[in-house]
Amino acid sequence: MELIYDTGWAATPTTAEQPLTGDIDCDVVVIGGGGGGMSAALRLAEKGVDVVLLETQTLGWGASSRNAGYVTNSIAADPELLGFLLKSERLRDLYRYAENAVHFAEDAIAHHGIDCGYEQAGIVMAAVSKGQLRHARRNAKVMAEAGSSAEFVEGREAGLPDGFLGGMREGVGGTLNPGEFVLGLRAATIASGVRVYEHTPARDITDTGGGVFVETPDGRVRARKALLTTNAYSAGLSSAPKNLATPVWTSLVETEPVAPERLDEIGWTSRAPMVTLHMIIESYRVTPRGTIVFGTRRVQTGRNPLPDRTPARNVADDLVRGFRDRFPGLRDIEPQKAWGGWIGMSSTWLPVAGEASGNVLYSLACNGHGFAQAQYVGHLLADRIGGAPLHDDLAAIWHGRKRFWPSLVSGPALHAAWLADRASDRLAALTK
């Protein structure tokens, strides 16, 4: 079956898209209409603030709608490595922040009545080799010491597919359809009274000390404060901190529907969503439609201005090859659709927020795990703009005005990681 390559947008917006024309004034301007930007704008509107939200495309058009659909308390780095690099108190603060972000996203789904197929199923960091299984055991210990409820699981009783030896199971979070979620959040944002301007890119942002000016192609916004929630697209803004984000393209594939009895036959009785313990993760989950969505495995960097694109054919082929290697009992299941999106990787490999200048705040809560965290940080930054003290969870990721070192993420480094992962797969196959 020939793969269909598309944008990954789950549905068509039902409300009119309105670009900005002319000059307008407001109290706060939010730049970037992903989950973080919408969450911030909603919070500001709730507090009676006159807020404008600018988005280059359509609200939720970027990674917020194109991701793998995991609502997770992962913080985008290996727990064992974090345990080595960070003080125990700092690690506890980070996992508390990440777990609270999951609960915030769950509350948003309920509060706005968003029908997005959310399943509170947790997640398994799954091992496909004995080495990864030992790694999972060490990770579980580190996370338990950091206050997480994660537990080590092993063997067939874990309900994982054949070939997955066990891993670390986290009961917090689950999976959903991200496109359906952002459409629901978009509708809630527009209904809240936020002045939304789509197809309105911010060309330049100037902090005068007494306020900010945001230049757009056909107008200008004057505001007291600005909030940048642009993630992978931050490098295109001179006002964003240097080296804030490295854009990385990730790809996903979805199969045709799989009969439930076929999943039982291969041992996937738990239907638990999984990510592997490779250097570059592989993710696998069963959707409410009975299809399997899988992705990442091989990623690519990009330069601003970031192009609209679909997954590279060789990357999609590699994903399919990996799926068939992991699930030999489903080799006859055909892939149907491939899509992808740009995510932002911070040079710290951790979520960050801070001040670009006196009147411009920013967040970068992605690193491939930001679906819930971007929303939560947007909400917390909205309160911060309103004069609230620094929340403990915001303090856990606060970078202030410190410099960012150049990122270690590069095309050659990512390719080397992919080669190392494939070498470890071959070694694991030889030792079975």
Side-chain angles (χ1 to χ4, degrees), residues 278-343:
H278 291 91
M279 294 180 67
I280 302 177
I281 66 167
E282 301 172 13
S283 66
Y284 301 95
R285 72 177 179 94
V286 181
T287 73
R289 300 183 298 279
T291 63
I292 298 175
V293 170
F294 54 95
T296 309
R297 185 174 161 100
R298 191 168 188 171
V299 293
Q300 302 152 297
T301 57
R303 295 181 179 178
N304 279 287
L306 296 176
D308 296 342
R309 58 168 294 179
T310 56
R313 194 166 292 270
N314 68 311
V315 172
D317 289 344
D318 183 59
L319 278 170
V320 173
R321 184 164 52 250
F323 169 74
R324 289 177 171 152
D325 288 343
R326 300 277 174 251
F327 300 88
L330 301 179
R331 283 184 177 272
D332 60 313
I333 299 299
E334 293 288 347
Q336 289 191 324
K337 184 170 65 174
W339 71 95
W342 292 105
I343 64 172

Side-chain angles (χ1 to χ4, degrees), residues 45-392:
E46 179 184 298
K47 297 171 76 70
V49 176
D50 180 19
V51 56
V52 165
L53 176 57
L54 305 180
E55 165 56 36
T56 300
Q57 298 288 341
T58 303
L59 296 187
W61 177 87
S64 294
S65 65
R66 300 162 186 255
N67 60 76
Y70 287 74
V71 184
T72 172
N73 64 344
S74 299
I75 48 177
D78 180 73
E80 184 181 20
L81 179 60
L82 285 180
F84 175 75
L85 295 174
L86 303 177
K87 294 181 179 180
S88 58
E89 182 179 354
R90 166 94 164 119
L91 196 58
R92 284 195 298 271
D93 288 345
L94 282 169
Y95 277 109
R96 182 201 64 228
Y97 145 82
E99 184 165 328
N100 286 341
V102 169
H103 298 317
F104 178 85
E106 292 172 332
D107 290 344
I109 293 169
H111 177 72
H112 299 297
I114 300 175
D115 183 9
C116 57
Y118 178 60
E119 296 183 356
Q120 206 283 318
I123 186 174
V124 174
M125 295 180 68
V128 298
S129 69
K130 293 178 181 179
Q132 287 187 3
L133 193 63
R134 291 190 294 270
H135 191 187
R137 189 186 295 274
R138 296 192 298 270
N139 277 345
K141 181 180 179 181
V142 170
M143 289 189 67
E145 292 172 349
S148 169
S149 60
E151 60 176 346
F152 177 74
V153 295
E154 185 177 7
R156 185 84 179 198
E157 63 273 13
L160 302 181
D162 296 336
F164 291 80
L165 308 181
M168 185 178 67
R169 180 167 57 202
E170 175 60 75
V172 174
T175 60
L176 47 64
N177 183 313
E180 291 175 351
F181 174 83
V182 296
L183 284 178
L185 195 63
R186 178 181 184 270
T189 302
I190 293 171
S192 73
V194 172
R195 286 191 279 169
V196 174
Y197 296 97
E198 297 176 311
H199 299 283
T200 305
R203 298 297 193 201
D204 194 23
I205 304 167
T206 304
D207 186 345
T208 65
V212 296
F213 290 91
V214 182
E215 300 289 341
T216 75
D218 298 305
R220 184 168 70 162
V221 181
R222 292 182 293 264
R224 180 178 61 87
K225 297 280 187 179
L227 174 55
L228 303 181
T229 59
T230 43
N231 292 311
Y233 296 84
S234 299
L237 296 171
S238 61
S239 57
K242 188 178 180 180
N243 300 319
L244 173 62
T246 298
V248 174
W249 176 268
T250 65
S251 302
L252 295 156
V253 174
E254 184 173 13
T255 71
E256 63 182 334
V258 183
E261 55 269 23
R262 295 287 304 277
L263 298 176
D264 292 338
E265 288 171 3
I266 65 169
W268 205 352
T269 54
S270 68
R271 304 294 196 270
M274 303 178 295
V275 297
T276 65
L277 286 160
H278 291 91
M279 294 180 67
I280 302 177
I281 66 167
E282 301 172 13
S283 66
Y284 301 95
R285 72 177 179 94
V286 181
T287 73
R289 300 183 298 279
T291 63
I292 298 175
V293 170
F294 54 95
T296 309
R297 185 174 161 100
R298 191 168 188 171
V299 293
Q300 302 152 297
T301 57
R303 295 181 179 178
N304 279 287
L306 296 176
D308 296 342
R309 58 168 294 179
T310 56
R313 194 166 292 270
N314 68 311
V315 172
D317 289 344
D318 183 59
L319 278 170
V320 173
R321 184 164 52 250
F323 169 74
R324 289 177 171 152
D325 288 343
R326 300 277 174 251
F327 300 88
L330 301 179
R331 283 184 177 272
D332 60 313
I333 299 299
E334 293 288 347
Q336 289 191 324
K337 184 170 65 174
W339 71 95
W342 292 105
I343 64 172
M345 299 292 294
S346 68
S347 60
T348 66
W349 288 72
L350 293 171
V352 292
E355 297 171 322
S357 63
N359 294 308
V360 180
L361 278 71
Y362 68 85
S363 72
L364 180 65
C366 286
N367 293 292
H369 298 274
F371 179 85
Q373 294 171 42
Q375 296 174 55
Y376 187 45
V377 175
H379 178 91
L380 295 177
L381 283 174
D383 284 348
R384 180 68 175 168
I385 283 178
L390 191 67
H391 191 283
D392 286 347

